[in-house]
Amino acid sequence: MKYLFAAVLVAASFASFSAANAAGGCGPGYHRGPYGGCVLNRGRVVVAPRTVYVPPRVVRPPVVVVRPGGRVCPYGMVWAYGRCRVR
């Protein structure tokens, strides 16, 4: 008797689920819309693969290392704010 009751309970719980419950109560082929109404499902949605843009690596200027007293910039220019500038 115990097994019969368990089997009926399991069968009833599986029978209570259907496509209408999964679709929000609208039935097969429909779904809930943004305002709560039933909307007809469209065909398959195919998303085409898109190309991914990878920006080029940023090439930074080389670091200039100069011994103290050494000249970096040409004559008529001074080293200021990280580069050679006109006086």
Side-chain angles (χ1 to χ4, degrees), residues 52-60:
V52 178
Y53 172 73
V54 178
R57 284 186 50 186
V58 177
V59 179
R60 296 185 178 165

Side-chain angles (χ1 to χ4, degrees), residues 26-65:
C26 292
Y30 292 88
H31 67 278
R32 289 280 177 193
Y35 301 109
C38 293
V39 180
L40 178 64
N41 290 341
R42 295 185 181 156
R44 292 185 179 178
V45 176
V46 178
V47 178
R50 62 182 195 156
T51 58
V52 178
Y53 172 73
V54 178
R57 284 186 50 186
V58 177
V59 179
R60 296 185 178 165
V63 177
V64 179
V65 178

Side-chain angles (χ1 to χ4, degrees):
M1 188 69 169
K2 194 170 22 173
Y3 293 115
L4 179 64
F5 179 71
V8 169
L9 183 66
V10 169
S13 64
F14 282 121
S16 67
F17 295 115
S18 66
N21 289 337
C26 292
Y30 292 88
H31 67 278
R32 289 280 177 193
Y35 301 109
C38 293
V39 180
L40 178 64
N41 290 341
R42 295 185 181 156
R44 292 185 179 178
V45 176
V46 178
V47 178
R50 62 182 195 156
T51 58
V52 178
Y53 172 73
V54 178
R57 284 186 50 186
V58 177
V59 179
R60 296 185 178 165
V63 177
V64 179
V65 178
V66 180
R67 63 174 200 245
R71 184 150 197 85
V72 177
C73 300
Y75 288 102
M77 301 182 87
V78 293
W79 183 261
Y81 305 110
R83 66 180 205 167
C84 293
R85 298 185 182 260
V86 179
R87 288 186 182 206

